[in-house]
Amino acid sequence: MNNYYELKYLIEELKVSAVGTNFDLAISPHKDVLEIFLEDISESVAKRLIFSANPKETALFIDQYRPPKKSNVFEFFKDIVDEKIVKVELAEYDRLIYLYMESGRYLLCKMFSSSPNIFLVEDQQIVTAFKDTEKVSGQTPPEPHAPDFARQVKPEAKPKNQVTSLNPLLPRNLLPELLEQHNVAQMEPGEVRTFVEHITRELLENPNPRVLVTGETCLWSEEILDIETDQDFEHANDMIRHAYRNAVHTRRLHQKKDNVLQVLERVLAKKEKQLEQLMQADKSLERADEYEKYGHLLMAHAHEEKEPQQSQIEVEDLYEQSETVTIPIKQEKDIAENAQYYYQKAKESRTSYKKAIERIDSVEDEIAHLKELIHSITDVRQLPELEKWIKHHSEELETYGYGTGESSQATSPFRKFKVGKYEVWIGKSARSNDELTSLAHKEDVWLHARGVAGSHTVIRMGNRKEYPPKRVILQAASYAAYYSKARGMKSAPVMYTKVKYVRKPKGASPGAVVVERENVEMVPPMKPQD
């Protein structure tokens, strides 16, 4: 979230807010979020520094003070409690932030990569960290790496590559619109250099902190980058805080909305399949006529004897001249009893037809209502509005299987996680594996680490026949690898297929299955995040 130039301005503001304060407490109230509480002794004021280690929402900013959560939290960096922060620095040309303590130890905030983190460093060794302490403890801290700034523009390079070669620190997420607005593709190399010098100078000398309607942060004015502003700010810290809150709000909104949509879409698919079957009710009527005909023809021969093992009888078709009909019969019944069997079948088929016709209208109404619900929740744009929508529809959502509490990890016979809008089930034991696979729908996707013992894993597809996006398969596969004997490998083979191609041989031990039509992906084992 924070590019280098935004961090330059943030650091200047942190120097004012943090230098001279005492490190009081660091806790993690939410996944990937660290709250650092600073105490300003001279002014008797407490401050709260927020660090987000979510790769999609990496951020650092001073937030409004709120007392720390007291229960169910883990404390970090206890070794520097009550130490004074004496200096705050940003690495030259890199997104590494240093908070130096009076003892010489320092906190190093890594604001980039797929694993942002904060390290406590002493004597150039990492002592502990916010995340993955066991992996990084004892290692040397990350060193700043200044990028190469090209002196010449390669005329054959793409416009974006020309610009970023001259200044690799420019915010790349904003460049496509910037290049299009200023028609950089038509510029000569000298013009490109002048343009890059101009937009860099604007970042350094004339910042305009704002959050765009797209949710992105920006330091360029609308004259430089003509994207509509959602809100202007005087300080970079306030800009970053606002963008971070918007991003978290949007993520939570989409996650909750996707959970509801997945349930509604799954029920809708079942109802549409049901309607499709009901619309074929005429076949029941056709079968009824055929069964009744068989009954009549058999009654015409009821006086005849049949062979004990006879499974069919060939008779003259009284309804079609010069034709014969072969009728399957029950070996244990005589011809008259077989006739009665077909009369009963005809009666049941006509009853089935009648019930199907009666059900069509109600199923069509249910489908229309489900589509209306899906349309209305799709239009929800705010989390409070979504909460209100869910509360208003809570009773019918519960009948569809949403919010019943069945997903509780503690009571479920298997683990349940979310990958985007898809629910992933993971077995807890051999018997749990059997239960998981037997409960899964035939169109669900089944995964298992190849060649080693491990948990059965299923991606719930809600009756959809296609495979989910590849990223979903890869993430679920990494979970399957983690819950297997391949957990310690850097990369493990994981097979996947539809549940309909997985079968359990008769008499096989718990968890044992036979797999057909398997695909294989190599993935790093990864622990799911609750």
Side-chain angles (χ1 to χ4, degrees):
M1 182 176 287
N2 302 147
N3 63 61
Y4 174 75
Y5 292 100
E6 291 171 355
L7 293 179
K8 279 182 70 69
Y9 290 102
L10 175 67
I11 288 300
E12 295 306 311
E13 295 168 24
L14 285 180
K15 287 178 181 177
V16 175
S17 299
V19 172
T21 63
N22 285 2
F23 183 96
D24 184 44
L25 176 70
I27 60 173
S28 181
H30 311 292
K31 179 178 177 289
D32 288 336
V33 175
L34 184 70
E35 292 187 348
I36 300 175
F37 290 84
L38 307 175
E39 188 177 10
D40 192 329
I41 304 296
S42 62
E43 299 181 13
S44 299
V45 174
K47 301 177 181 179
R48 189 165 65 112
L49 182 63
I50 305 294
F51 173 73
S52 168
N54 185 325
K56 295 181 180 179
E57 299 162 2
T58 307
L60 181 71
F61 57 91
I62 292 284
D63 201 2
Q64 294 167 338
Y65 181 78
R66 222 174 20 217
K69 189 177 178 183
K70 296 295 185 182
S71 60
N72 299 321
V73 293
F74 182 81
E75 290 187 35
F76 295 83
F77 311 127
K78 293 182 181 180
D79 292 349
I80 56 173
V81 169
D82 290 333
E83 282 204 35
K84 182 180 289 186
I85 298 175
V86 295
K87 186 167 63 171
V88 177
E89 283 187 346
L90 173 67
E92 188 173 15
Y93 302 134
D94 206 346
R95 288 172 292 166
L96 293 171
I97 295 175
Y98 303 83
L99 280 70
Y100 290 97
M101 307 294 158
E102 57 186 344
S103 65
R105 292 179 287 195
Y106 62 89
L107 291 175
L108 173 57
C109 307
K110 186 176 77 166
M111 307 294 298
F112 56 88
S113 84
S114 60
S115 55
N117 209 343
I118 295 185
F119 312 103
L120 175 59
V121 182
E122 183 176 6
D123 297 329
Q124 287 307 300
Q125 271 198 342
I126 296 175
V127 178
T128 186
F130 172 40
K131 302 185 72 175
D132 302 321
T133 290
E134 292 181 1
K135 290 183 181 179
V136 300
S137 181
Q139 296 183 6
T140 56
E143 294 286 342
H145 294 284
D148 294 326
F149 293 81
R151 298 192 176 194
Q152 301 295 329
V153 175
K154 295 181 179 179
E156 70 278 7
K158 294 180 180 179
K160 185 176 180 180
N161 293 340
Q162 290 180 341
V163 169
T164 55
S165 69
L166 292 170
N167 186 352
L169 301 175
L170 293 172
R172 300 194 178 209
N173 58 313
L174 301 177
L175 287 183
E177 291 83 358
L178 186 75
L179 301 181
E180 182 178 354
Q181 178 184 333
H182 294 275
N183 201 16
V184 175
Q186 303 302 316
M187 290 183 182
E188 296 295 327
E191 294 176 302
V192 174
R193 170 176 286 281
T194 301
F195 173 71
V196 171
E197 289 173 351
H198 172 60
I199 60 175
T200 301
R201 189 163 53 250
E202 287 292 310
L203 290 173
L204 292 172
E205 300 175 5
N206 188 29
N208 286 262
R210 59 192 181 110
V211 174
L212 310 178
V213 290
T214 59
E216 297 169 299
T217 52
C218 179
L219 293 176
W220 283 308
S221 65
E222 287 192 13
E223 182 182 355
I224 300 294
L225 181 61
D226 188 17
I227 297 179
E228 187 180 347
T229 302
D230 174 57
Q231 192 165 335
D232 287 298
F233 298 90
E234 184 177 351
H235 302 292
N237 183 85
D238 297 338
M239 172 189 72
I240 293 166
R241 179 176 60 200
H242 181 83
Y244 172 75
R245 286 178 174 172
N246 279 355
V248 171
H249 173 276
T250 301
R251 169 169 55 81
R252 290 175 179 170
L253 172 69
H254 288 170
Q255 283 179 344
K256 198 151 197 171
K257 187 190 289 190
D258 285 346
N259 289 345
V260 179
L261 281 172
Q262 185 179 14
V263 171
L264 295 177
E265 288 168 356
R266 182 168 64 240
V267 176
L268 176 61
K270 288 181 179 178
K271 293 297 179 183
E272 288 178 333
K273 185 70 175 178
Q274 184 181 3
L275 181 62
E276 183 182 336
Q277 293 170 344
L278 291 173
M279 297 300 284
Q280 298 175 3
D282 288 349
K283 292 181 180 179
S284 294
L285 210 52
E286 292 172 6
R287 285 195 297 271
D289 291 341
E290 184 179 35
Y291 293 149
E292 189 172 64
K293 174 182 174 180
Y294 285 173
H296 292 336
L297 292 175
L298 288 173
M299 284 303 292
H301 295 271
H303 60 283
E304 299 177 7
E305 293 287 336
K306 72 177 185 66
E307 298 293 329
Q309 301 301 317
Q310 191 175 353
S311 61
Q312 60 184 34
I313 185 171
E314 187 174 316
V315 298
E316 182 181 355
D317 190 343
L318 301 177
Y319 302 90
E320 297 288 340
Q321 227 173 9
S322 303
E323 295 288 337
T324 60
V325 179
T326 300
I327 304 174
I329 58 175
K330 301 288 185 181
Q331 294 178 358
E332 69 277 10
K333 299 178 184 292
D334 61 27
I335 293 177
E337 289 172 333
N338 271 288
Q340 292 302 320
Y341 166 76
Y342 277 111
Y343 286 143
Q344 182 62 31
K345 292 271 286 182
K347 181 181 178 181
E348 290 172 356
S349 294
R350 288 195 174 94
T351 301
S352 175
Y353 170 78
K354 184 179 179 181
K355 288 181 178 179
I357 295 302
E358 291 172 351
R359 282 283 293 143
I360 285 176
D361 285 347
S362 64
V363 173
E364 285 180 334
D365 288 344
E366 288 181 77
I367 288 173
H369 182 60
L370 282 162
K371 287 182 176 179
E372 184 181 333
L373 287 176
I374 290 170
H375 178 74
S376 66
I377 194 175
T378 301
D379 289 339
V380 173
R381 294 289 180 266
Q382 298 295 325
L383 196 56
E385 183 186 354
L386 178 62
E387 298 284 1
K388 184 177 179 181
W389 188 98
I390 291 173
K391 184 177 181 180
H392 178 71
H393 297 282
S394 59
E395 289 187 10
E396 59 185 318
L397 287 176
E398 189 168 344
T399 64
Y400 296 144
Y402 176 82
T404 59
E406 293 179 359
S407 62
S408 169
Q409 300 285 22
T411 59
S412 174
F414 31 82
R415 305 172 183 90
K416 293 183 180 182
F417 301 97
K418 296 289 289 186
V419 177
K421 66 179 183 179
Y422 295 88
E423 190 171 49
V424 176
W425 293 356
I426 303 175
K428 293 181 177 179
S429 64
R431 294 193 181 279
S432 168
N433 285 338
D434 281 347
E435 185 176 357
L436 181 152
T437 304
S438 66
L439 287 175
H441 187 274
K442 66 179 182 178
E443 296 298 341
D444 290 346
V445 179
W446 182 92
L447 308 94
H448 195 286
R450 201 170 194 276
V452 295
S455 295
H456 293 206
T457 301
V458 163
I459 303 171
R460 300 284 286 159
M461 294 302 298
N463 206 29
R464 293 184 291 271
K465 294 185 177 180
E466 74 280 5
Y467 276 91
K470 193 61 169 288
R471 59 176 177 77
V472 175
I473 292 175
L474 293 177
Q475 190 165 341
S478 70
Y479 295 171
Y482 180 83
Y483 287 105
S484 77
K485 295 294 185 181
R487 179 184 297 190
M489 299 170 62
K490 287 186 177 180
S491 185
V494 174
M495 55 183 172
Y496 69 93
T497 188
K498 288 283 189 171
V499 168
K500 60 187 174 183
Y501 300 126
V502 180
R503 60 183 175 85
K504 185 173 183 64
K506 188 175 182 180
S509 58
V513 294
V514 174
V515 182
E516 303 170 5
R517 304 191 189 185
E518 70 178 57
N519 303 285
V520 177
E521 292 288 347
M522 295 296 296
V523 295
M526 183 170 65
K527 183 179 180 180
Q529 302 295 329
D530 293 323

